[in-house]
Amino acid sequence: MPASLLAFPLANLHTHSYAIIDIGSNSVRMVVYHAPARVPVPLFNEKYYCGLGKGVAKSGFLNPEGIVEAKKAIGRFIVMAKRLAVSDLKIIATAAVRDARNGAHFVRDIETSMDVEIDIISGEREAELAAKGALASMYKPVGITADMGGGSIELAYISRDHIEKQSSFELGTLRLVDDTNNNAGAMHDLIHREISNVHWLESVKAKTIYAIGGSFRSIAKMHMKKTHYPLPILHEYRLSRKAIESMMRTLKSLSTEEIAQLPGVPEERAITILPAVLMLHQIMHCAHADHVVFSVTGIREGLIYDQLPPDLQKQDPLIASAYDLASLAGRKGAYAKELFDWMKPLFEQELPSHQRLRMALCVLSELAWTVDPNFRSEWAFLRVVQSAMKGMTHRERVMLAMALYHRYQTKWKLDRPEIKLLDEHDRLWARCVGTATSLAFHLSGGKHGNLHHARLAVDGTFISLSLDDEADPLRTETVEKKLEGLGSTFKALSNFVI
């Protein structure tokens, strides 16, 4: 290879990378994050189904076959962590290891042979970290977190930025299957007996359950496939209590083999789906919860969040992840705040939820600057819709994506199924804020310090643009068309009756 081709090395995204190996009852996983940040982005994410906790409830010992597979997986992950030159590696073990008679011996064997340290976390600590995992990726969540693994389930009540109550029970999916010989009726009775005794579930009056863990996520996947949901992103997918009840009735009538054939159900998870849906239904029943929100973040992200200073913990996850995404595209600086303030006259009465989205749009406004102009609008839409950004609902995600599309294209020309999640008002808002962002670019070039030469004013539903003498030559036919398009959209938005 010519030396000239090696003269421009790729940017090193691993400078402050942080790796966590999670030894669970069902699987062993390693995730390497780009940094211990407010919203850490996975650079490497791999898991192996080892079934370490299979049979622990009956025998009291870790599954011998699972031990072999787990050691192989951990050995691979340690080597991979070294090759990725991670800054810090943390290894944790949960229910199966802490409950098994030979759990401590299993840990010592790995620590000695692989020269690492493993932290066997308690049930209470696991509940705390799972709850913090939800706090890390959702905006001011209020409700009950439920983290169900193979060996245990951890519950906690969270309110915006703190944890008020927490409990841990040896009622994981594999343990329930072992204790009841996979009998649905016996499983239901056991879950009902134990969860009904958690008296704080009812007293906190939570409307939302935040479901964490692979078996819960499989429920979401299955429902997405069944209903042909247009946005296959698990994080913040929402289901009603009625939907959970319907799924429970269906699954109770099927064998494990039949469940494995359902769309969206991984073969390895088939035996854990029924105990998971029975558990979720019981928690919702006891808490009188209306709906469940699924989370892809849990104890691993909670562990990172736990180590952040208070000022970073208080950051809005949506805005933090927007800044990270913009930074990866090489767009940094103060233009976002300037743009946000510049278009404020158009949105004096906006809701706080829309204000957050508008700020995120301002941060991302020049995200597609390296893309060919013919593809920028579609690329921008897909970049947001398919991103790992956190802190927004599915509806908000599509609104933000559509707004960024209109930063580059006035007319909507795509045929995308995700748009079904928006109503007409959502679409008008996205077009209005996106068109305003486009107008701002034509007046500033996307550079901080240029928008103070131009000023927007609103009189009823009429928008005017004034430029100072220095900026007056910027008033071209293109700018006037942008202003006209913004004006018509703003008028439609202002006159919209919700």
Side-chain angles (χ1 to χ4, degrees):
M1 180 180 292
S4 60
L5 296 181
L6 302 176
F8 303 98
L10 292 174
N12 182 12
L13 299 180
H14 304 253
T15 306
H16 304 291
S17 56
Y18 188 100
I20 299 175
I21 297 176
D22 180 2
I23 306 171
S25 302
N26 204 34
S27 63
V28 177
R29 181 192 293 268
M30 181 173 81
V31 184
V32 179
Y33 300 94
H34 81 296
R38 178 62 181 82
V39 183
V41 179
L43 297 172
F44 178 93
N45 188 344
E46 188 172 284
K47 70 177 176 183
Y48 289 90
Y49 289 102
C50 301
L52 198 59
K54 186 177 181 180
V56 168
K58 290 183 177 180
S59 69
F61 292 91
L62 296 173
N63 174 19
E65 294 179 358
I67 290 176
V68 174
E69 294 303 314
K71 286 181 177 180
K72 288 180 182 178
I74 296 167
R76 167 177 164 73
F77 290 154
I78 290 172
V79 171
M80 186 59 72
K82 291 178 180 178
R83 290 181 176 245
L84 291 174
V86 300
S87 302
D88 196 4
L89 171 64
K90 179 78 172 178
I91 306 177
I92 58 174
T94 54
V97 174
R98 71 171 173 256
D99 295 339
R101 296 179 190 176
N102 59 339
H105 179 270
F106 168 77
V107 165
R108 284 196 302 271
D109 187 23
I110 293 175
E111 289 181 328
T112 302
S113 61
M114 301 185 190
D115 192 25
V116 293
E117 292 184 2
I118 299 176
D119 182 12
I120 305 175
I121 62 176
S122 67
E124 291 72 21
R125 176 62 170 162
E126 191 173 353
E128 177 191 357
L129 292 177
K132 288 182 175 179
L135 293 175
S137 65
M138 297 185 184
Y139 182 65
K140 296 183 178 180
V142 177
I144 296 167
T145 57
D147 181 12
M148 191 174 196
S152 65
I153 183 163
E154 280 69 42
L155 304 175
Y157 178 70
I158 56 175
S159 181
R160 298 185 180 275
D161 62 356
H162 60 281
I163 305 166
E164 295 185 4
K165 299 179 183 294
Q166 57 196 58
S167 302
S168 178
F169 304 90
E170 295 179 355
L171 291 174
T173 53
L174 295 179
R175 183 178 286 273
L176 284 168
V177 169
D178 287 344
D179 283 344
T180 63
N181 291 317
N182 202 25
N183 180 277
M187 211 179 290
H188 175 276
D189 292 344
L190 176 57
I191 292 171
H192 174 77
R193 184 167 62 251
E194 295 296 328
I195 299 302
S196 295
N197 288 324
V198 187
H199 301 297
W200 63 261
L201 283 178
E202 183 175 7
S203 65
V204 296
K205 302 185 185 305
K207 296 298 182 184
T208 305
I209 306 298
Y210 297 97
I212 302 166
S215 296
F216 283 155
R217 289 194 295 271
S218 292
I219 294 172
K221 288 179 185 177
M222 185 172 64
H223 192 269
M224 281 181 170
K225 290 287 186 180
K226 180 182 178 181
T227 59
H228 304 286
Y229 187 71
L231 181 59
I233 290 179
L234 294 174
H235 194 64
E236 298 227 25
Y237 185 58
R238 179 180 296 243
L239 285 178
S240 67
R241 184 170 160 187
K242 184 177 180 180
I244 295 298
E245 289 173 348
S246 176
M247 292 182 71
M248 181 182 68
R249 287 192 297 269
T250 298
L251 291 170
K252 286 175 73 173
S253 68
L254 301 176
S255 67
T256 300
E257 291 73 24
E258 290 171 325
I259 292 174
Q261 299 304 311
L262 295 175
V265 178
E267 183 178 353
E268 301 86 353
R269 292 285 184 189
I271 200 168
T272 69
I273 297 292
L274 179 57
V277 77
L278 289 172
M279 177 64 74
L280 190 53
H281 175 262
Q282 184 62 39
I283 295 171
M284 296 183 79
H285 172 75
C286 290
H288 304 290
D290 296 329
H291 54 269
V292 56
V293 174
F294 295 89
S295 173
V296 300
T297 58
I299 60 173
R300 293 178 294 274
E301 291 76 17
L303 193 61
I304 294 177
Y305 180 85
D306 190 49
Q307 298 175 31
L308 296 177
D311 59 323
L312 287 186
Q313 290 184 350
K314 292 177 181 178
Q315 288 181 353
D316 185 327
L318 171 60
I319 307 306
S321 54
Y323 270 111
D324 276 347
L325 187 58
S327 177
L328 290 173
R331 303 298 295 196
K332 301 179 181 180
Y335 178 67
K337 182 63 168 62
E338 183 177 311
L339 173 60
F340 179 82
D341 291 338
W342 181 80
M343 67 170 80
K344 187 177 180 180
L346 303 179
F347 303 100
E348 290 289 355
Q349 305 300 321
E350 72 183 336
L351 298 171
S353 58
H354 285 173
Q355 188 177 74
R356 295 177 63 240
L357 289 179
R358 186 164 65 86
M359 185 63 210
L361 173 68
C362 292
V363 174
L364 299 172
S365 64
E366 304 311 313
L367 190 65
W369 71 288
T370 61
V371 178
D372 185 284
N374 292 310
F375 303 102
R376 283 179 184 169
S377 56
E378 182 175 8
W379 183 94
F381 178 85
L382 294 176
R383 187 68 183 92
V384 172
V385 161
Q386 299 172 353
S387 76
M389 292 176 66
K390 300 294 189 294
M392 55 183 166
T393 66
H394 283 196
R395 169 176 163 264
E396 291 171 336
R397 179 182 291 270
V398 181
M399 286 176 68
L400 179 57
M402 192 174 189
L404 192 58
Y405 170 94
H406 285 301
R407 152 65 184 90
Y408 298 101
Q409 173 63 251
T410 302
K411 295 182 179 179
W412 179 257
K413 298 181 179 180
L414 299 183
D415 181 17
R416 297 295 311 179
E418 300 91 348
I419 297 302
K420 297 175 183 177
L421 299 179
L422 306 185
D423 60 26
E424 184 60 28
H425 184 269
D426 295 336
R427 299 181 195 189
L428 281 172
W429 178 88
R431 183 172 179 178
C432 188
V433 72
T435 305
T437 304
S438 178
L439 174 62
F441 178 80
H442 281 79
L443 298 171
S444 67
K447 188 177 186 300
H448 170 59
N450 287 338
L451 280 176
H452 72 277
H453 295 286
R455 182 169 298 178
L456 287 176
V458 175
D459 182 5
T461 60
F462 178 75
I463 298 175
S464 62
L465 172 68
S466 59
L467 301 174
D468 63 19
D469 293 340
E470 181 182 342
D472 192 61
L474 297 176
R475 191 184 291 273
T476 62
E477 183 180 353
T478 298
V479 168
E480 289 297 333
K481 285 184 177 179
K482 293 283 183 184
L483 181 62
E484 182 181 352
L486 175 60
S488 62
T489 304
F490 177 76
K491 183 175 182 179
L493 181 63
S494 300
N495 292 332
F496 191 90
V497 178
I498 301 177

